[in-house]
């Protein structure tokens, strides 16, 4: 009985610890989601526009620590600020730094925008 109680207590502490730390990466935007813009993930590059760029900007905001200075307006325009944030993100996650947002960059963004931590 003592082992069962001890096991339950340890499990409870582990669970409580994971609940207490869940979502700390994006504490500035708890429960934030970028799917409100689109679930489409097309190839994007400088001068692209539209809902997919808004989703990109949203995911970059959730993946790069705001203290890094890459906070983006979600205006749907892939301009210089978005390009700089893409370069920073690609560099941080070990991708080829080309400024194009294709399947590999989208996959890393999908991961880091939902992770308990910042990519950069």
């Amino acid at each position: 009985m003592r082992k069962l109680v001890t096991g339950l207590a340890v499990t409870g502490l582990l669970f409580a610890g994971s609940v207490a730390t869940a979502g700390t990466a994006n504490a500035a935007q708890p429960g934030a989601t970028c799917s409100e813009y689109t679930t489409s993930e097309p190839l994007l590059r400088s001068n692209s526009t539209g809902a997919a760029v808004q989703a990109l900007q949203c995911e970059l905001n959730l993946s790069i620590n705001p203290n890094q200075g890459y906070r983006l307006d979600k205006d749907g325009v892939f301009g210089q600020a978005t390009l700089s944030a893409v370069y920073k993100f690609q560099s941080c996650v070990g991708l080829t730094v080309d400024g194009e947002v294709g399947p590999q960059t989208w996959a890393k963004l999908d991961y880091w925008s939902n992770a308990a931590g910042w990519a950069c």
Side-chain angles (χ1 to χ4, degrees):
M1 183 66 151
R2 178 179 277 187
K3 286 183 182 180
L4 177 61
V5 171
T6 302
L8 290 173
V10 169
T11 302
L13 289 173
L14 291 174
F15 180 72
S18 65
V19 170
T21 60
T24 57
N26 303 323
Q29 299 176 17
T33 177
C34 300
S35 62
E36 67 188 86
Y37 301 105
T38 183
T39 56
S40 173
E41 295 181 339
L43 176 64
L44 297 175
R45 53 177 61 104
S46 191
N47 297 320
S48 295
T49 59
V53 177
Q54 286 178 293
L56 167 66
Q57 291 164 330
C58 179
E59 289 197 28
L60 286 166
N61 284 342
L62 294 173
S63 300
I64 301 174
N65 187 321
N67 296 330
Q68 296 289 321
Y70 290 92
R71 237 342 133 223
L72 299 170
D73 290 332
K74 294 172 268 185
D75 60 6
V77 177
F78 195 138
Q80 187 59 48
T82 302
L83 180 61
S84 294
V86 169
Y87 285 151
K88 175 68 173 176
F89 177 77
Q90 289 174 328
S91 175
C92 289
V93 298
L95 294 172
T96 299
V97 180
D98 59 9
E100 291 189 356
V101 181
Q104 292 179 339
T105 302
W106 278 117
K108 295 284 188 176
L109 280 166
D110 291 343
Y111 173 80
W112 282 105
S113 64
N114 292 294
W118 304 104
C120 306

